[in-house]
Amino acid sequence: MRDISIEGVGSVSGGEYNKISIEGVGSISDDIKAVEIYIEGVFNCNGRIESDFISCEGVATMNEAIRANRIDISGVMTLKEANLEAKTINCEGVIKSNAEISADKTVVDGCIKAAEIVGDEVIISHTPGRASRGIRKLFGISSENLSSIGLIEATTIRINDAKVKIVNGENITIGEYCEVDDIDCTGKLLIHPRAKVGRITGVTAEYSEEI
Amino acid sequence: MLISKKDLLAITGISYGQLYRWKRERLIPEEWFIKKSSYTGQETFFPREQILSRIQSIQELKNRYSLEELAKMLSPEVVSYSYDIDVVEEMEEIDKSLIGIFLNTYSKEQFTYLDILFMIIHSELKKELSIDSMSIGKLIMGVKDQLNNIKTTGYQYVIVKLDSEYYSILANDGGIYLDSRFELIKTVRIDEVSNRIKVKYNEKYHF
């Protein structure tokens, strides 16, 4: 299996590769299988991707389903009507998706806007800095959380600085800078007293500032 | 009949993590996740019997096989090999006294996986319902040509009776609504039979 690198403007044809590197402006219009994919430039993908490892430090737009063992995002990945499936997803950058993000473990210390995040463990751990909070207050943006998600459904969920419509899980921790409309919890539910939470079903919540 | 995702997890004791991992591994087909509007918004439901049966199979087998092997075994896709008469004669699930009828009806020497599944199904129908060999022969004749139209095991084989004669219907999805003059005798889920046979004979015949 070969390696391929796009440093200028180019496209990767469908097939199986060892390592794909996009440092320039690259595009794919067929299905791809690879061991490793590195995106440092701009990447437009119109084929399905199956890879062991995907790293996105650049800007990637995915229009077909992506499957990987591990995905690391420190740039921006946009998924349009395309599911993202992995064992582990680490995001320090931005993920925007109007489809399903499904992983055993999803860890976000950046920004995520998604229709659905599902799996075993979902951690959205960004805490807005003082300046960011000050600016939001100044502009009267009390509900402009960094991340916004339609549904989070996982065994263990720990979130902060996120606006979520529905959270369903077994062990749920809702941080201070959260707005959640509906929570259903079957195990343990811990909520920061200043979090904005609507309906709760399942267990009784415990409140603690030590989150 | 459908079961909600919430009820499914409560009844089976599986976690969200397991459910979604098995969906990613294609052990639970995406089509089984049925979204319906409810008063809380959108809720997900599953075909009840199929999902409960599938989860039971996964839980029983996951320590013996890798998730990838399980996905292959539980897939509704029909294997496209041909099997000869030796396989038919070796399988204990196929009634030896019916082999003559099978051979006459099929008039061929190589059998597809679906042919073998239906030989097993008819053998089990004969045993379970004490249906006579001649009636079994007519059922086999009746369904033989339809087997070419089926590409997966996602069907139900419905046995009905009218005026002492047995007839069959092959149906997929939705419900089956019979003229009340038919007496419903039995509904066989072909994928359940297939899963059972694949699990048992996976190593021997590579079903």
Side-chain angles (χ1 to χ4, degrees):
Chain A
M1 278 192 300
R2 58 191 177 114
D3 292 349
I4 185 166
S5 178
I6 307 274
E7 283 166 31
V9 178
S11 65
V12 181
S13 42
E16 278 193 51
Y17 297 85
N18 180 42
K19 180 172 163 184
I20 300 177
S21 246
I22 311 285
E23 290 168 33
V25 178
S27 65
I28 287 180
S29 50
D30 297 312
D31 295 350
I32 295 271
K33 262 193 180 159
V35 177
E36 296 174 322
I37 299 179
Y38 292 89
I39 302 162
E40 288 167 12
V42 177
F43 182 53
N44 200 338
C45 184
N46 290 303
R48 285 178 301 186
I49 293 187
E50 234 181 271
S51 180
D52 201 50
F53 174 66
I54 300 176
S55 163
C56 175
E57 291 176 23
V59 178
T61 304
M62 314 301 218
N63 297 296
E64 296 276 352
I66 313 291
R67 270 169 75 85
N69 265 331
R70 182 171 150 166
I71 303 177
D72 286 353
I73 299 165
S74 53
V76 180
M77 183 178 281
T78 303
L79 297 124
K80 296 183 176 172
E81 313 292 335
N83 289 346
L84 182 63
E85 293 178 322
K87 284 210 170 89
T88 316
I89 298 173
N90 295 310
C91 174
E92 289 177 348
V94 178
I95 300 179
K96 284 189 276 189
S97 163
N98 59 4
E100 183 183 272
I101 296 175
S102 173
D104 268 346
K105 189 167 179 175
T106 301
V107 181
V108 179
D109 186 21
C111 166
I112 185 161
K113 293 195 193 293
E116 296 187 2
I117 309 176
V118 299
D120 195 36
E121 215 178 329
V122 175
I123 300 171
I124 302 176
S125 62
H126 184 259
T127 302
R130 240 203 192 141
S132 159
R133 276 183 272 142
I135 288 171
R136 291 184 204 179
K137 217 171 173 173
L138 188 66
F139 286 91
I141 306 171
S142 59
S143 62
E144 191 60 52
N145 311 88
L146 189 61
S147 293
S148 74
I149 304 120
L151 165 73
I152 300 179
E153 203 163 71
T155 313
T156 302
I157 299 169
R158 209 164 68 233
I159 59 174
N160 201 8
D161 203 9
K163 183 179 164 91
V164 191
K165 284 208 177 78
I166 303 172
V167 173
N168 295 332
E170 213 174 289
N171 299 308
I172 302 173
T173 306
I174 308 288
E176 184 179 354
Y177 302 99
C178 282
E179 254 188 76
V180 185
D181 292 346
D182 265 285
I183 299 178
D184 182 74
C185 180
T186 54
K188 187 172 165 135
L189 176 59
L190 206 53
I191 303 178
H192 193 284
R194 283 191 287 279
K196 295 188 181 73
V197 172
R199 200 169 71 118
I200 299 174
T201 53
V203 301
T204 309
E206 284 172 46
Y207 292 85
S208 168
E209 295 207 11
E210 305 291 314
I211 289 177
Chain B
M1 239 182 87
L2 298 176
I3 183 172
S4 72
K5 192 196 297 170
K6 198 172 164 187
D7 288 345
L8 178 69
L9 263 46
I11 289 175
T12 57
I14 67 169
S15 65
Y16 282 113
Q18 282 172 304
L19 178 70
Y20 287 113
R21 188 176 309 127
W22 295 342
K23 183 187 181 193
R24 281 195 305 278
E25 297 291 341
R26 311 293 183 250
L27 292 173
I28 298 175
E30 191 162 348
E31 312 83 71
W32 289 10
F33 287 72
I34 301 164
K35 292 208 162 138
K36 282 179 176 282
S37 297
S38 70
Y39 74 94
T40 50
Q42 281 240 312
E43 246 194 275
T44 303
F45 294 82
F46 299 87
R48 188 191 171 93
E49 277 177 45
Q50 283 172 278
I51 189 79
L52 288 175
S53 163
R54 179 57 57 93
I55 287 177
Q56 192 183 353
S57 299
I58 297 169
Q59 285 174 312
E60 281 168 10
L61 300 169
K62 65 184 168 69
N63 295 325
R64 278 164 51 195
Y65 299 95
S66 71
L67 293 184
E68 213 180 305
E69 282 170 332
L70 271 187
K72 212 172 119 197
M73 279 159 61
L74 298 175
S75 156
E77 295 304 314
V78 172
V79 171
S80 55
Y81 297 138
S82 286
Y83 302 91
D84 60 30
I85 187 69
D86 295 339
V87 173
V88 173
E89 284 168 352
E90 269 171 18
M91 292 182 80
E92 59 184 11
E93 286 83 4
I94 298 178
D95 187 320
K96 302 286 178 278
S97 68
L98 291 178
I99 291 184
I101 297 177
F102 292 137
L103 288 179
N104 281 339
T105 309
Y106 284 101
S107 309
K108 54 182 177 178
E109 286 163 11
Q110 293 277 306
F111 303 96
T112 65
Y113 176 62
L114 264 180
D115 291 333
I116 290 183
L117 269 188
F118 271 81
M119 288 186 209
I120 293 171
I121 288 169
H122 287 110
S123 300
E124 289 177 353
L125 281 171
K126 179 180 181 231
K127 187 174 168 185
E128 192 188 321
L129 303 170
S130 305
I131 299 179
D132 63 278
S133 296
M134 188 161 9
S135 297
I136 292 285
K138 289 181 186 175
L139 278 173
I140 296 165
M141 271 302 291
V143 80
K144 183 186 77 155
D145 293 335
Q146 303 310 332
L147 291 187
N148 297 328
N149 297 328
I150 307 181
K151 304 298 170 201
T152 77
T153 54
Y155 285 82
Q156 295 170 73
Y157 187 48
V158 184
I159 307 297
V160 299
K161 201 170 176 184
L162 177 69
D163 297 336
S164 311
E165 287 279 351
Y166 291 96
Y167 300 92
S168 72
I169 300 156
L170 274 170
N172 68 345
D173 297 333
I176 301 161
Y177 304 97
L178 295 173
D179 183 315
S180 55
R181 288 168 292 175
F182 283 106
E183 183 194 345
L184 177 63
I185 301 296
K186 180 140 179 108
T187 303
V188 178
R189 297 201 60 89
I190 300 172
D191 55 6
E192 271 177 21
V193 179
S194 176
N195 289 347
R196 191 175 14 110
I197 297 304
K198 275 188 184 179
V199 167
K200 184 173 174 183
Y201 293 107
N202 177 52
E203 277 156 37
K204 196 169 183 189
Y205 300 123
H206 305 291
F207 283 147

